[in-house]
């Protein structure tokens, strides 16, 4: 976990520093307010890191608040998944967890105040009529014919809405602001609608639900939030936020400020589109390792520290931009290069027979991780029959080919020099066995006589190999901007390739949360589908960026 005391949050640091100097408060309180209508994605990881990180930097606290004001789309599954993701990222919210739905009674009372103050009215225009009356960006709106109802009638109708006397869609409660405002958000916005739905958190009892723009400032004020940091699309909503804070006369005056959300190429982060991917079976659930969801990245094997470092290093800006996904992959490689244990895996096996090896087994030693020598060595067995990658042998080697072909000598990683003497072809013309001899004087992969070989390949002892399934993941979309057309048509058909192969026997006890670097094949992590009978490894990321190269 980063030490947030040392993190530069850019202009957000300036805002907090100025506010503290002005003496408006002595301790900052931020909030992360997810709507529980889907799983969190890496864009939310930025918002989480900013809000929890700023609180940590300035000795304050951050509330986790579920903005659960829409029972049509929200579920307890999402609530629990959000909690789990934040815990996994390493942020503590256990003493600061809140729900918008638990403020419904107070929000209702505030709505009554707005009606009594002549600032809200019940409108019976249809949804289409409300849109028509709202006007456009270049033309003003016009007043609703219900705008000048009496306070008494508005109170009676609003209470009838609350009591379930009217049908969904028949009426709404709107603020009375200015239908000619250049900011469309201020043209008598809707703050309550009728929804006769059971709420996932508080159950039955409510037939009206507040809109987010109304609930948001009230929640912040109730929780004494000092800094309400939002993504940039809420900038035009800030006057409405300030209007509600002012008219409800809150003693606490939270301030909304905006920063650019995280946008990454080759990725979609709209919850609606992510839900479509799941519901249409285009991916294997919210935690599919190709998804940009935190649960998907976690399952794939992305380290949490790499995710947090990436979202912080991407910068806190005032304008939107698109970050190259290669930066995320580079952050993952940098972290895993230091933390991942080393091992050898064969994704496409080809058998090699060492014809002059007459021992049962020769146990060799290699580093567990050369970046962390203190972890020590691991033992690897060398025997007469070995597996290598099919691509490490060629019948007709191209110029510069440094692997196995008849007459060529190569280094077997950490073992010996082996020279290819012959091979066997089956009825289909496929090479099924390669015959080599080894030089017992080159143990460890080095020669005392000064001769050098130009190729090094990885291998596994056949009788010690553990069979496993490799899931070779690549980017989900083939286009850098998958949303320029129908995003479904941009799905990469090779984003998931399954291969059967083998890994070293010592990897049997690998933890699900511990990644491995497989020589030349990439970084891999054990998938949750693994069990005692079957190992399943997900490719986290390749050893270097080779996409479209």
């Amino acid at each position: 976990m980063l030490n947030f005391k040392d993190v530069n949050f850019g202009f957000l640091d300036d805002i907090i520093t100025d506010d503290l100097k002005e003496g408006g408060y002595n301790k900052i309180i931020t909030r992360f307010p997810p709507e529980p209508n889907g799983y969190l994605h890496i864009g939310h990881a930025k918002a989480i890191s900013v809000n929890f990180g700023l609180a940590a930097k300035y000795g304050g606290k951050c509330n986790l608040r579920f903005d659960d004001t829409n029972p049509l789309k929200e579920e307890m599954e999402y609530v629990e998944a959000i909690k789990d993701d934040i815990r996994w990222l390493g942020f503590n919210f256990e003493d600061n967890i809140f729900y918008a739905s638990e403020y419904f009674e107070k929000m209702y009372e505030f709505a009554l105040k707005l009606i009594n103050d002549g600032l809200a009215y019940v409108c019976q225009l249809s949804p289409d009529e409300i849109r028509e009356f709202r006007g456009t960006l270049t033309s003003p709106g016009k007043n609703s014919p219900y705008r000048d109802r009496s306070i008494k009638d508005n109170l009676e109708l609003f209470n009838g809405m609350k009591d379930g006397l009217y049908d969904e869609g028949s009426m709404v409660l709107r603020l009375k602001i200015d239908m000619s405002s250049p900011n469309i958000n201020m043209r008598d916005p809707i703050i309550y609608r009728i929804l006769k739905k059971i709420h996932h958190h508080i159950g039955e009892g409510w037939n009206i639900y507040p809109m987010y723009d109304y609930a948001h400032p009230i929640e912040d004020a109730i929780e004494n939030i000092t800094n309400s940091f939002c993504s940039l699309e809420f900038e035009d909503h800030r006057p409405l936020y300030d209007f509600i804070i002012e008219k409800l006369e809150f003693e606490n005056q939270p301030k909304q400020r905006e920063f650019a959300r995280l946008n990454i190429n080759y990725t979609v982060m709209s919850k609606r589109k992510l839900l479509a991917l799941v519901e249409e079976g285009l991916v294997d659930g919210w935690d599919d390792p190709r998804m940009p969801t935190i649960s998907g990245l976690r399952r794939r094997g992305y380290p949490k520290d790499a995710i947090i470092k990436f979202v912080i290093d991407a910068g806190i800006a005032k304008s939107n931009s698109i970050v190259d996904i290669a930066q995320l992959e580079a952050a993952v490689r940098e972290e895993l290069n230091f933390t991942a244990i080393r091992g050898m895996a064969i994704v496409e096996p080809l058998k090699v027979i060492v014809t002059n090896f007459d021992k049962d087994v020769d146990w060799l030693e290699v580093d567990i991780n050369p970046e962390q020598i203190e972890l020590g060595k691991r033992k690897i067995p060398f025997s007469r029959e070995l597996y290598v990658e099919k691509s490490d042998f060629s019948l007709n080697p191209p110029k510069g080919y440094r692997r196995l072909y008849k007459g060529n000598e190569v280094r077997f990683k950490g073992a010996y020099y082996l020279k290819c003497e012959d091979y066997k072809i089956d009825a289909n013309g496929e090479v099924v066995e390669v015959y080599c001899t080894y030089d017992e004087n080159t143990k460890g992969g080095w020669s005392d006589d000064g001769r050098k070989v130009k190729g090094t390949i990885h291998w596994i002892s056949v009788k010690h190999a553990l069979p496993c399934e490799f899931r070779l993941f690549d980017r989900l979309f083939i286009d850098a901007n998958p949303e320029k057309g129908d995003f479904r048509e941009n799905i990469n058909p090779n984003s998931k390739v399954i291969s059967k192969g083998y890994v070293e026997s010592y990897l049997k006890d690998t933890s699900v949360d511990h990644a491995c670097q497989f020589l030349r094949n990439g970084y891999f992590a054990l998938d949750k589908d693994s069990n005692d009978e079957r190992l399943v490894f997900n490719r986290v990321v390749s050893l270097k960026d080779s996409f479209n190269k």
Side-chain angles (χ1 to χ4, degrees), residues 2 13 18 21 83 102 115 123 137 218 268 311 316 322 350 375 414 416 526:
L2 284 176
D13 280 325
D18 290 345
K21 284 181 180 178
K83 292 179 184 178
E102 294 179 354
I115 293 173
C123 179
L137 292 173
I218 293 175
V268 297
V311 299
I316 313 300
I322 298 176
L350 172 64
L375 295 179
Y416 300 95
L526 204 62

Side-chain angles (χ1 to χ4, degrees), residues 186-202:
M186 300 296 282
R187 295 180 186 177
D188 290 13
I190 298 170
I191 61 172
Y192 269 98
R193 77 283 207 202
I194 301 171
L195 288 176
K196 298 182 178 181
K197 300 290 186 294
I198 297 175
H199 193 278
H200 67 273
H201 180 62
I202 57 173

